[in-house]
Amino acid sequence: MRKKNMLTVLAALFCVVWVSANSPVVKKPKVSITEQLQSILSDNYILVHHGDATARVVFKINEQGRIEVLEVITKRKDVKLFIDRRLEGRIIAVGNTARGEVFAVDVRITS
C-alpha cells in the first residue's frame, strides 16, 4: 500500500513539474504600437497649406506581425495613398495578445 501511495505522489509531482516547465513565454514590445506608427509615418512628403491633414486608419495585425490596412478614411487622396503605402505589409513588434485584433487610429499630418 505504501508503494502505491508513493508512486501516486511521484506521478502527481512529475505532472506538476512538467506543466509548469512548459509555460508560454509572452514577449512584450519595448515600444508601443502608436510610437511605432508615428516613426513609420513621420517622414512624409505631403504639403499642408491650411491646418492639418487628418485621417482615420483601421488596420489589423496578422499572425506574422504585419499590418493589414483595412480602411483609410480621409478627404484627401494623397493622404490615403501615403498612409496605405507606408503601412501595408510593415512588420511591427507587438505582443501575442495584439495579433489578430483590429485597431482604429486617428492620424494627423502637420507641416
Side-chain angles (χ1 to χ4, degrees), residues 71-98:
E71 185 176 19
V72 179
I73 303 167
T74 184
K75 294 179 182 178
R76 294 181 55 174
K77 290 182 182 180
D78 58 343
V79 172
K80 183 175 182 173
L81 288 173
F82 170 74
I83 291 173
D84 194 33
R85 288 180 182 164
R86 284 285 174 106
L87 293 181
E88 187 68 38
R90 293 294 290 267
I91 297 175
I92 60 173
V94 293
N96 292 335
T97 57

Side-chain angles (χ1 to χ4, degrees), residues 4-64:
K4 199 175 207 181
N5 288 339
M6 184 61 112
L7 286 175
T8 304
V9 170
L10 285 175
L13 181 63
F14 176 73
C15 289
V16 169
V17 170
W18 184 62
V19 169
S20 65
N22 292 328
S23 61
V25 176
V26 178
K27 294 182 180 178
K28 293 186 180 181
K30 295 179 181 178
V31 181
S32 70
I33 294 174
T34 54
E35 291 173 343
Q36 292 179 57
L37 291 177
Q38 182 179 1
S39 69
I40 293 170
L41 297 174
S42 65
D43 184 26
N44 62 55
Y45 56 83
I46 296 174
L47 297 175
V48 181
H49 298 290
H50 302 286
D52 301 335
T54 59
R56 182 159 186 94
V57 182
V58 180
F59 64 95
K60 177 181 168 182
I61 300 174
N62 65 14
E63 293 300 319
Q64 291 82 25

